């Protein structure tokens, strides 16, 4: 019975992720979610409480997990942007849910504590690298983080669609190169390996053929 309950809960979360990503919180309907999950609507209320709490569960499963599973490396921001780009390919619903959350839950200031805390930690890591001279300080740390994350969103099919594997690979190179240029020191010198390291990873996190491992 416990296994059946867990399977039902998993199906409901998957169906809810599709519904919320497509229609947001207000537009989502529990009837459609239950039908898509091949489950009784009463199970939604039994497992999650109500529609808003179901959205919170989906948001936590996809968005909060993205924050946790793609850690920042302040010494390789192009690579970090590339990994976020890859995550947007494998978990496209996460970005859509984040946008719906911003629209319907009061903007970025209303992010869940786990996401807000992670963003603060990442900005602090960037700030520490700036103080140590490993990153330029032309932009405040929190704004530099915002720029890097924003560039990674160019992997979203909705925001910037690409055509085919080659188009996706080129878009990824554009993202990592843009971040490498963004953090180039003011004196015009830069670590030319930064963009190259990120470019050697294909979408999905696999090294390209011939890339050094």
């Amino acid at each position: 019975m416990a296994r059946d309950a867990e399977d039902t809960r998993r199906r409901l979360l998957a169906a809810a992720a599709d519904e919320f990503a497509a229609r947001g919180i207000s537009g989502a309907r529990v009837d459609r979610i239950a039908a898509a999950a091949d489950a009784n609507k009463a199970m939604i209320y039994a497992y999650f409480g109500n529609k808003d709490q179901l959205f919170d569960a989906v948001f936590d499963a996809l968005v909060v997990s993205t924050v946790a599973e793609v850690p920042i490396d302040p010494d390789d921001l192009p690579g970090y942007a590339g990994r976020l780009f890859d995550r947007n390919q494998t978990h496209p619903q996460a970005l859509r849910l984040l946008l719906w959350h911003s629209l319907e839950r009061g903007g970025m200031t209303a992010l869940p504590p786990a996401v807000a805390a992670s963003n603060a930690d990442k900005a602090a890591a960037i700030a520490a690298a700036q103080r140590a001279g490993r990153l330029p300080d032309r932009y405040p740390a929190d704004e530099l983080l915002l720029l890097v994350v924003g560039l990674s969103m160019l992997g979203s099919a909705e925001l910037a669609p690409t055509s085919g594997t080659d188009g996706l690979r080129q878009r990824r190179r554009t993202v990592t190169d843009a971040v490498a240029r963004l953090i180039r020191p003011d004196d015009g010198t830069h670590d030319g390996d930064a963009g190259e390291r990120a470019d050697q990873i294909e979408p999905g996190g696999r090294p390209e053929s011939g890339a050094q491992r």
Side-chain angles (χ1 to χ4, degrees), residues 74-75 120-142 144:
D75 294 316
D121 288 345
K122 290 176 180 179
I126 290 175
Q130 289 175 324
R131 289 192 299 271
R134 303 195 310 273
L135 284 175
D137 60 0
R138 69 175 66 93
Y139 303 116
D142 56 343
L144 179 56

Side-chain angles (χ1 to χ4, degrees), residues 68-151:
E69 293 173 17
V70 188
I72 194 169
D73 180 357
D75 294 316
D76 185 16
L77 290 182
Y80 173 60
R83 291 190 298 276
L84 285 175
F85 182 98
D86 295 339
R87 178 75 180 193
N88 285 335
Q89 309 313 308
T90 58
H91 297 74
Q93 294 165 328
L95 178 56
R96 298 175 204 156
L97 292 169
L98 183 62
L99 294 174
W100 281 117
H101 187 285
S102 180
L103 287 169
E104 299 192 62
R105 288 280 181 84
M108 301 302 286
T109 58
L111 286 174
V115 177
S118 178
N119 287 343
D121 288 345
K122 290 176 180 179
I126 290 175
Q130 289 175 324
R131 289 192 299 271
R134 303 195 310 273
L135 284 175
D137 60 0
R138 69 175 66 93
Y139 303 116
D142 56 343
E143 294 186 5
L144 179 56
L145 175 63
L146 183 63
L147 288 168
V148 173
V149 172
L151 284 167

Side-chain angles (χ1 to χ4, degrees), residues 8 21 31 33 35-36 44 48 54 59 93 122-123 140 148 172 200:
T8 300
D31 288 341
I33 294 171
I44 292 177
F48 303 102
L54 176 58
F59 190 90
Q93 294 165 328
K122 290 176 180 179
V148 173
R172 191 185 196 279
Q200 290 173 346

Side-chain angles (χ1 to χ4, degrees), residues 16-39:
D18 289 338
E19 179 76 4
F20 286 125
R23 297 180 171 87
I25 305 171
S26 298
R29 295 291 178 266
V30 293
D31 288 341
R32 281 196 295 260
I33 294 171
D38 192 23

Side-chain angles (χ1 to χ4, degrees), residues 54-67:
L54 176 58
F55 176 85
D56 290 340
V58 171
F59 190 90
D60 183 79
L62 286 175
V63 178
V64 176
S65 65
T66 295
V67 170

